[in-house]
C-alpha cells in the first residue's frame, strides 16, 4: 500500500514541479520606463510622453505635468503575447503635451502599483527651445503685388 501511495504522489507531484519549474524558466524581466517622442521641442509644439509597464499588471500613476499643458490623454493600451512558449505583456499610458515656455524641464517619475510592489520610472529631461519666428505674411503679399504691377506702363 505504501508503494502505491508513493507512486500516486510522484505522479501528481511531477506535473506540478514541471509547470512551476517551466514557469520560472520562461519568466520575463519586469520593466517600467518613460519614452518621449523627442527630447528637444520648440515652445508651443506638441510632444508625446508614454509610460510603459512590461511583463506585469499594475496601475500606472503619472507624474505631475505642472510645467506643461495636457492636450490629450491619458490614452491607455494593453497587449499580451504568447510565442513559442514564451509569454510577454505590456501596458502603456500616453499623453500629448505642449511646453509653453523655453527651458529645460524634468518630467518626474511615474509610479506603478503592481503585485511586485511599487515601481518607479526614472525622471526624464526635455529641452524646450524658442519657437521659430513666423514669416511676415504681409511682407510676402506686398512683394508679390509689386512684382505683378511692375509690368504695367
Amino acid at each position: 500500500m505504501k508503494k502505491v501511495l508513493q507512486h500516486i504522489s510522484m505522479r501528481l507531484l511531477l506535473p506540478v514541479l514541471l509547470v512551476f519549474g517551466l514557469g520560472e524558466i520562461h519568466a520575463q524581466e519586469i520593466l517600467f520606463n518613460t519614452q518621449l517622442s523627442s527630447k528637444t521641442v520648440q515652445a508651443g509644439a506638441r510632444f508625446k510622453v508614454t509610460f510603459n509597464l512590461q511583463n506585469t499588471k499594475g496601475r500606472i500613476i503619472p507624474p505631475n505635468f505642472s510645467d506643461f499643458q495636457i492636450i490629450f490623454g491619458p490614452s491607455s493600451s494593453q497587449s499580451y503575447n504568447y510565442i513559442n512558449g514564451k509569454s510577454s505583456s505590456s501596458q502603456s499610458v500616453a499623453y500629448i503635451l505642449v511646453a509653453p515656455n523655453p527651458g529645460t524641464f524634468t518630467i518626474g517619475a511615474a509610479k506603478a502599483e503592481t503585485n511586485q510592489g511599487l515601481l518607479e520610472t526614472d525622471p526624464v529631461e526635455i529641452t524646450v527651445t524658442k519657437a521659430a519666428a513666423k514669416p511676415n505674411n504681409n511682407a510676402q503679399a506686398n512683394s508679390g503685388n509689386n512684382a505683378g504691377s511692375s509690368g504695367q506702363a
Side-chain angles (χ1 to χ4, degrees):
M1 182 70 170
K2 198 172 191 179
K3 285 194 175 221
V4 171
L5 288 175
Q6 281 181 330
H7 182 68
I8 291 172
S9 297
M10 287 305 281
R11 290 189 78 189
L12 294 174
L13 186 59
L14 186 59
V16 171
L17 289 174
L18 285 175
V19 168
F20 285 112
L22 291 177
E24 289 188 57
I25 291 171
H26 293 292
Q28 301 289 322
E29 182 181 4
I30 295 172
L31 301 172
F32 187 36
N33 61 33
T34 303
Q35 290 180 314
L36 295 175
S37 58
S38 178
K39 290 194 177 240
T40 303
V41 296
Q42 288 184 356
R46 296 177 181 193
F47 66 96
K48 183 178 181 180
V49 59
T50 306
F51 305 104
N52 299 302
L53 180 60
Q54 296 177 333
N55 301 315
T56 190
K57 291 182 181 179
R59 184 173 74 97
I60 297 174
I61 304 163
N64 186 338
F65 295 121
S66 61
D67 292 324
F68 308 97
Q69 293 175 313
I70 298 174
I71 301 299
F72 179 78
S75 172
S76 61
S77 66
Q78 295 181 349
S79 70
Y80 180 80
N81 294 310
Y82 190 80
I83 301 171
N84 295 329
K86 294 184 179 183
S87 66
S88 64
S89 65
S90 68
Q91 69 182 78
S92 63
V93 174
Y95 294 84
I96 304 294
L97 305 175
V98 169
N101 301 311
T104 300
F105 300 95
T106 299
I107 296 175
K111 295 179 172 79
E113 294 175 345
T114 70
N115 290 340
Q116 290 76 20
L118 187 66
L119 304 175
E120 287 190 13
T121 63
D122 291 329
V124 294
E125 281 194 352
I126 185 163
T127 302
V128 181
T129 61
K130 288 184 181 179
K134 294 182 181 178
N136 186 347
N137 289 335
N138 290 336
Q140 288 179 349
N142 288 339
S143 66
N145 288 341
N146 290 341
S149 63
S150 64
Q152 294 179 354

